[in-house]
Amino acid sequence: MGTSYAKIVAQSMWMVWENIFDVFTRFRSESIWRFGICKLVIRRHYGKAIACHDSHQIANGDWIGELHLDNQQVIELSRAVGADRAGIMTARMLRRGMKQISHAMQTSPELAKVQAITGITLLHRGIIHGLGFEQHPLPSKWAKGFAKIYLSYLLRILHPEGKQRVKQAGEKLEPRMLVISKQALFDRWSAEDKDKELRTIYI
């Protein structure tokens, strides 16, 4: 089913807003890196410490990489191949991007200081599958409420059936913080590389 004219207009207006927001993002970050469909905003973590499952702790003032998807690419994919196929392709591109981020953090002196990758999403059940992310609650009710409104609207305009998904899911769409420590990131994607090497040897 094609994207309606109203949704195309809403998507175009949203991307204008995102481009403006990107300008402000540059002022609150040290740098922005792009890895395919992934944007990594390098900034300091401010607030309460985050305890990771591998015992690593992200302290106030530590450098983190804030992960964002390039929504322009998501929109273009959805229009070109449809929502279902676009979802599969986005997941594959996200995996590729995470692998590139892991490699860059191990080889780039500028990224060596980053202690963890974080992100906020409503679709945490699908996003974290196989990527190594942990789920953490958002630090405050205000942050949780704002993120839910923001991300619900984003889902409505990006996904062809977003409005129905938001209505059907209701309270189940709870924003969560995704976190993966630097070491867990390295372990996750180094393990995949080793697994591929073994499969190549034995095939």
Side-chain angles (χ1 to χ4, degrees):
M1 182 175 64
T3 305
S4 69
Y5 176 75
K7 179 159 286 189
I8 290 174
V9 172
Q11 290 172 347
S12 299
M13 292 178 65
W14 183 267
M15 291 314 304
V16 171
W17 155 248
E18 283 214 353
N19 291 333
I20 295 172
F21 185 74
D22 279 348
V23 174
F24 287 100
T25 298
R26 294 181 186 278
F27 288 103
R28 72 178 183 89
S29 63
E30 183 183 66
S31 60
I32 299 176
W33 296 63
R34 295 179 181 271
F35 301 91
I37 204 168
C38 299
K39 293 191 292 186
L40 197 65
V41 177
I42 308 304
R43 66 174 187 86
R44 290 188 183 274
H45 167 69
Y46 293 110
K48 295 181 179 179
I50 302 174
C52 300
H53 297 169
D54 62 359
S55 298
H56 179 81
Q57 183 161 289
I58 306 167
N60 184 57
D62 280 352
W63 288 99
I64 60 170
E66 191 178 83
L67 184 66
H68 299 266
L69 289 183
D70 185 335
N71 288 321
Q72 183 64 53
Q73 291 192 50
V74 175
I75 288 173
E76 290 173 358
L77 273 176
S78 182
R79 290 177 182 175
V81 301
D84 292 337
R85 191 175 174 193
I88 295 171
M89 293 174 69
T90 298
R92 289 174 179 169
M93 293 167 73
L94 177 57
R95 289 178 63 87
R96 193 178 308 127
M98 290 297 295
K99 186 173 182 179
Q100 291 170 351
I101 290 169
S102 175
H103 178 73
M105 285 176 60
Q106 294 178 71
T107 57
S108 170
E110 295 180 61
L111 294 181
K113 64 189 176 186
V114 174
Q115 298 300 308
I117 305 298
T118 68
I120 298 176
T121 183
L122 286 176
L123 306 176
H124 42 83
R125 291 177 180 82
I127 289 292
I128 66 170
H129 180 69
L131 297 182
F133 280 107
E134 307 169 7
Q135 293 185 39
H136 291 259
L138 267 63
S140 69
K141 290 183 179 179
W142 181 90
K144 180 178 177 180
F146 176 79
K148 183 168 184 176
I149 293 170
Y150 176 88
L151 294 172
S152 293
Y153 182 73
L154 185 61
L155 179 60
R156 281 172 180 262
I157 66 171
L158 288 187
H159 197 287
E161 299 174 355
K163 186 175 181 179
Q164 289 80 358
R165 292 189 65 180
V166 171
K167 284 184 177 180
Q168 291 171 2
E171 294 301 318
K172 293 180 181 179
L173 287 176
E174 180 181 354
R176 302 283 286 181
M177 177 183 288
L178 304 181
V179 180
I180 183 169
S181 70
K182 175 166 65 174
Q183 190 56 54
L185 179 75
F186 294 168
D187 291 345
R188 168 67 187 84
W189 297 104
S190 295
E192 179 168 285
D193 287 340
K194 290 178 181 177
D195 183 53
K196 284 184 178 178
E197 288 177 5
L198 285 173
R199 289 203 302 268
T200 300
I201 291 171
Y202 288 104
I203 287 175

